[in-house]
Amino acid sequence: MTELLYFAAFLSVALGITHSVLGEKYILARLFRRADLPKLFGSSDFTVHTLRFAWHITSVAWFGFGVLLLYAGRGDLAVSEMLNIIGTTFVVSGFLPLIFTRGRHLAWLILFAIGGIALWCAA
């Protein structure tokens, strides 16, 4: 069972990497070349950056699940470790809208709050 969980963890991380790399190349790049993207806050920049962070946040979540699977494979996943992994995943996720939209998409506030609460409760 341990080997299967490790393999699932590997697949989860590989899926996240593949999702981000191929999504950027084959979906987002083609989508962003369109001239008819909605113009929010005066230009399509906010739309582009929001779509980009929303795409990649899925990969970050899969990385977090991969770490959970890895720890579960060890057989000693404690609640505090689980909360640390979840908290870290949410904090890292919070940086995506903060950076890509320069803070204009307010999801980073909620993601940081969730991550902070989980990390604080893990301590």
Side-chain angles (χ1 to χ4, degrees):
M1 172 114 74
T2 299
E3 292 82 15
L4 285 175
L5 287 170
Y6 287 162
F7 183 59
F10 167 77
L11 289 175
S12 183
V13 172
L15 178 64
I17 292 168
T18 304
H19 181 263
S20 279
V21 171
L22 296 181
E24 271 290 336
K25 184 175 181 176
Y26 293 111
I27 296 173
L28 296 178
R30 291 175 182 177
L31 177 66
F32 298 154
R33 285 194 292 250
R34 296 179 57 107
D36 61 346
L37 285 176
K39 292 181 181 5
L40 303 172
F41 297 112
S43 75
S44 61
D45 286 344
F46 181 77
T47 304
V48 167
H49 295 306
T50 298
L51 290 170
R52 181 163 276 135
F53 98 72
W55 185 270
H56 292 294
I57 204 167
T58 306
S59 297
V60 172
W62 289 335
F63 297 151
F65 283 124
V67 175
L68 283 172
L69 289 164
L70 183 69
Y71 274 68
R74 290 185 350 194
D76 63 349
L77 181 61
V79 171
S80 62
E81 290 174 323
M82 181 186 65
L83 289 173
N84 275 320
I85 294 165
I86 292 169
T88 301
T89 301
F90 272 97
V91 169
V92 170
S93 295
F95 281 107
L96 295 176
L98 183 62
I99 293 168
F100 281 125
T101 71
R102 297 184 193 121
R104 291 187 294 173
H105 192 292
L106 299 179
W108 64 273
L109 290 168
I110 306 303
L111 294 164
F112 281 168
I114 295 166
I117 290 167
L119 291 170
W120 184 74
C121 290

